[in-house]
Amino acid sequence: MESQSKSSKDGASARGDVKMAERPPMAVRCPDLLLRALALALTLAAAVMVGVDKESKTVSVTISQSLTLHVRATAKWQYMSAFVYFLVSNAVACSYAAASLVYVTVAGAARSAKAALAINVLDTVMMGLLLSASGASAAIGVIAQHGNSHVQWNKVCHAFGSYCHQMAAAFTLCLVGSFAFLLLAVLYVMDLHKKAMSR
Amino acid sequence: MESQSKSSKDGASARGDVKMAERPPMAVRCPDLLLRALALALTLAAAVMVGVDKESKTVSVTISQSLTLHVRATAKWQYMSAFVYFLVSNAVACSYAAASLVYVTVAGAARSAKAALAINVLDTVMMGLLLSASGASAAIGVIAQHGNSHVQWNKVCHAFGSYCHQMAAAFTLCLVGSFAFLLLAVLYVMDLHKKAMSR
């Protein structure tokens, strides 16, 4: 009887372990939801900031000593492929963050282990996507701010200061968003690691 | 006696499980070493290709209709901050790949679980670093190839074709290197996942 009772207790404990394995602990699930919501907000803000960023100025262009033209010039994201990539990447990451947030909230503890694994891989991919977009926009931003005399690319931020500041703010949001995705990936791996080591 | 024998067998099995948990299966360790060596080779090749990439040309600069200057111009990585970042990022990723390859080879099955976790996080960070460097160099590459009339940044690849081709090759190697790091991170998570779910 004692042996049976022990076996039954062990069985219950084993079932409890399986449940624990399928259900991420609360300490991990709360930061997961918060970080996902943060990534959603940051990438949405970054995409919107770039999308609405537009500045028009009258710029003086010197053709010769006696001829100076005054041209109305506009700065907007469609004019630079790096900013198009930046906006699209943030929109993709934002859509993914929204979809994964809904899934994680609705499925909750009932979500399958394979789905959790797929979400982890996608979190990592989103981090990479946002970092590549940040790199692209930063590279253009540096030239726009300081120019490059070696290739005769003149700086433009002295004329479109407001546009450049807004782009820099969007870049910062995107960078923080990518760190949120990195943290999501690391938290999941640490949780898996604990489970694997507690065998 | 039977109970004792079973308990002893279970104990041995439990010890076996712990050993299995500490020691990554061979099926995962082999791709791990290969991918790490691949990442090392790719990032080293990318860094060297950018480091030695240099092209000098005599370029004609038209000052006015009657005055055209012939200037000796040189293209090299130090002249563009995005390429400096690209080279440094690849050098950092290459050094890390070499150090982690040595560690994984020497420590082998005896490496601690925490060290394996730290390596996984660093693999993910290296992927992000390489992707941001790829994004930065691609953004500059697009302008160098096609120019941008909106900001009056002229294309330069028509004059420095060989330089641009070598940079494009280095960019491709860096991109493949970043996918090698992504694959390393994903393989580790899949391995952990299997262990956690096999409880």
Side-chain angles (χ1 to χ4, degrees):
Chain A
M1 274 294 283
E2 196 188 329
S3 163
Q4 256 192 345
S5 153
K6 197 183 167 197
S7 153
S8 155
K9 203 176 156 189
D10 286 350
S13 163
R15 279 196 300 277
D17 280 354
V18 171
K19 259 193 175 173
M20 283 290 283
E22 284 164 358
R23 181 178 179 164
M26 207 58 198
V28 172
R29 283 174 60 224
C30 247
D32 185 283
L33 292 178
L34 283 176
L35 280 170
R36 222 165 274 285
L38 181 70
L40 164 63
L42 289 167
T43 50
L44 178 66
V48 170
M49 279 180 88
V50 172
V52 301
D53 198 7
K54 192 177 172 184
E55 191 177 2
S56 291
K57 278 274 175 74
T58 303
V59 183
S60 304
V61 181
T62 306
I63 304 296
S64 67
Q65 277 187 336
S66 58
L67 181 62
T68 300
L69 292 179
H70 298 281
V71 184
R72 189 81 183 155
T74 302
K76 50 184 177 178
W77 63 274
Q78 293 99 321
Y79 291 164
M80 191 67 75
S81 50
F83 296 158
V84 174
Y85 178 63
F86 184 90
L87 192 141
V88 171
S89 298
N90 275 279
V92 168
C94 176
S95 309
Y96 163 74
S100 64
L101 184 62
V102 168
Y103 176 76
V104 168
T105 309
V106 171
R111 71 178 188 267
S112 75
K114 278 187 182 171
L117 180 66
I119 286 177
N120 171 260
V121 174
L122 285 173
D123 286 344
T124 311
V125 170
M126 289 302 138
M127 182 209 74
L129 182 71
L130 289 181
L131 280 178
S132 69
S134 301
S137 63
I140 297 300
V142 168
I143 308 277
Q145 186 70 36
H146 303 289
N148 190 306
S149 59
H150 301 287
V151 282
Q152 301 289 317
W153 293 350
N154 296 322
K155 56 184 174 185
V156 288
C157 280
H158 64 293
F160 298 96
S162 165
Y163 180 85
C164 286
H165 284 142
Q166 199 159 321
M167 278 303 304
F171 162 80
T172 310
L173 293 177
C174 176
L175 204 62
V176 181
S178 69
F179 284 120
F181 279 116
L182 172 65
L183 217 52
L184 275 168
V186 171
L187 280 180
Y188 176 77
V189 174
M190 284 177 75
D191 187 37
L192 262 188
H193 183 259
K194 265 186 210 162
K195 282 175 188 165
M197 291 306 117
S198 67
R199 297 192 332 163
Chain B
M1 272 298 281
E2 196 187 327
S3 164
Q4 256 192 344
S5 151
K6 198 184 166 197
S7 153
S8 154
K9 201 176 157 190
D10 285 351
S13 163
R15 279 196 300 279
D17 280 354
V18 170
K19 258 193 176 173
M20 283 289 284
E22 285 166 358
R23 181 178 180 165
M26 207 58 197
V28 172
R29 283 175 60 224
C30 245
D32 184 283
L33 291 178
L34 283 175
L35 280 169
R36 222 166 274 285
L38 181 70
L40 164 63
L42 289 166
T43 50
L44 178 66
V48 170
M49 279 180 88
V50 172
V52 300
D53 198 7
K54 193 177 172 183
E55 191 177 0
S56 291
K57 278 273 176 74
T58 303
V59 183
S60 304
V61 182
T62 306
I63 304 295
S64 67
Q65 276 186 335
S66 57
L67 180 62
T68 299
L69 293 179
H70 299 281
V71 184
R72 189 80 182 157
T74 302
K76 49 184 177 178
W77 63 274
Q78 293 97 322
Y79 291 165
M80 191 68 74
S81 50
F83 296 157
V84 175
Y85 179 62
F86 183 90
L87 192 141
V88 171
S89 299
N90 274 279
V92 168
C94 176
S95 310
Y96 163 74
S100 63
L101 183 63
V102 169
Y103 177 75
V104 168
T105 310
V106 171
R111 71 177 186 268
S112 74
K114 278 187 182 170
L117 179 66
I119 287 177
N120 170 260
V121 174
L122 286 172
D123 285 345
T124 311
V125 170
M126 288 303 138
M127 182 208 74
L129 182 72
L130 289 181
L131 280 177
S132 69
S134 301
S137 63
I140 297 298
V142 168
I143 308 277
Q145 186 70 36
H146 304 290
N148 190 306
S149 58
H150 301 288
V151 282
Q152 301 289 319
W153 293 350
N154 297 321
K155 57 184 174 185
V156 288
C157 280
H158 64 292
F160 298 96
S162 165
Y163 181 85
C164 286
H165 284 143
Q166 198 159 323
M167 278 303 304
F171 162 79
T172 311
L173 293 177
C174 176
L175 204 61
V176 181
S178 69
F179 284 120
F181 279 116
L182 171 65
L183 218 52
L184 276 168
V186 171
L187 280 179
Y188 176 76
V189 174
M190 285 176 75
D191 186 39
L192 261 188
H193 183 260
K194 265 187 209 160
K195 281 176 188 165
M197 292 306 117
S198 67
R199 298 193 331 160

